[in-house]
Amino acid sequence: MCAGCWGCSVLGPTFIAKGKRRRLQLGLREDTAATGLHYLRDNLSSEPMTRGEMVNALAKCRLALERRSQAPIHLIGLAALSGIALLGDDRPNVESTYVLMDTWVDSADEMPKDEALAQLAWRYLLGYATTDAKDFAG
């Protein structure tokens, strides 16, 4: 998990597990995804990148993803849930970029998982005041 994203520690494992089947359908086996995450971390450390630029960088590292498939965005999603990447600034042509999370998120936001869960519950209650524990668990 990332150094500064308390939300990743709470939500990441659940959504990573839920997306596993789809990643497998797209050819992103556990080892392939782990390799892709490693390469994304290395490549994002230099500058923000678009999805296409990320696919090109991965191909240079001998991890070829079909550009027109959903595999690239699912790998990017996995990187986000793993605390590696997040959305950066849009380019002038309104194309999204992705950046290394550690360079944009302050590590002072880090907190133990139980505190992070309490923070999530508090924020949920602020947004949905007439809720209960069953709603939050869902």
Side-chain angles (χ1 to χ4, degrees):
M1 288 296 146
C2 63
C5 179
W6 63 265
C8 291
S9 67
V10 176
L11 300 173
T14 299
F15 287 104
I16 288 171
K18 285 186 178 200
K20 183 177 180 180
R21 181 173 178 220
R22 182 64 181 137
R23 287 191 303 275
L24 289 172
Q25 291 170 342
L26 295 167
L28 293 172
R29 298 181 322 270
E30 294 280 332
D31 59 333
T32 306
T35 300
L37 293 178
H38 173 77
Y39 290 148
L40 286 179
R41 179 181 292 282
D42 287 349
N43 284 288
L44 285 172
S45 65
S46 60
E47 63 182 62
M49 299 174 81
T50 65
R51 180 166 68 169
E53 291 167 346
M54 292 169 99
V55 170
N56 291 341
L58 290 170
K60 289 179 185 176
C61 297
R62 297 191 180 136
L63 181 65
L65 298 177
E66 177 56 45
R67 181 180 297 276
R68 295 186 182 203
S69 77
Q70 293 180 357
I73 199 64
H74 279 268
L75 183 61
I76 293 168
L78 180 60
L81 292 168
S82 299
I84 295 170
L86 55 86
L87 275 172
D89 293 329
D90 285 347
R91 295 263 172 90
N93 63 356
V94 194
E95 190 172 7
S96 296
T97 65
Y98 302 90
V99 296
L100 192 61
M101 189 176 293
D102 292 344
T103 62
W104 277 41
V105 176
D106 187 358
S107 62
D109 293 340
E110 187 176 0
M111 64 180 74
K113 188 173 181 176
D114 59 336
E115 287 182 37
L117 186 57
Q119 181 66 234
L120 179 64
W122 175 248
R123 289 178 183 214
Y124 185 84
L125 286 171
L126 287 175
Y128 303 96
T130 58
T131 190
D132 59 23
K134 184 179 176 184
D135 288 333
F136 176 70

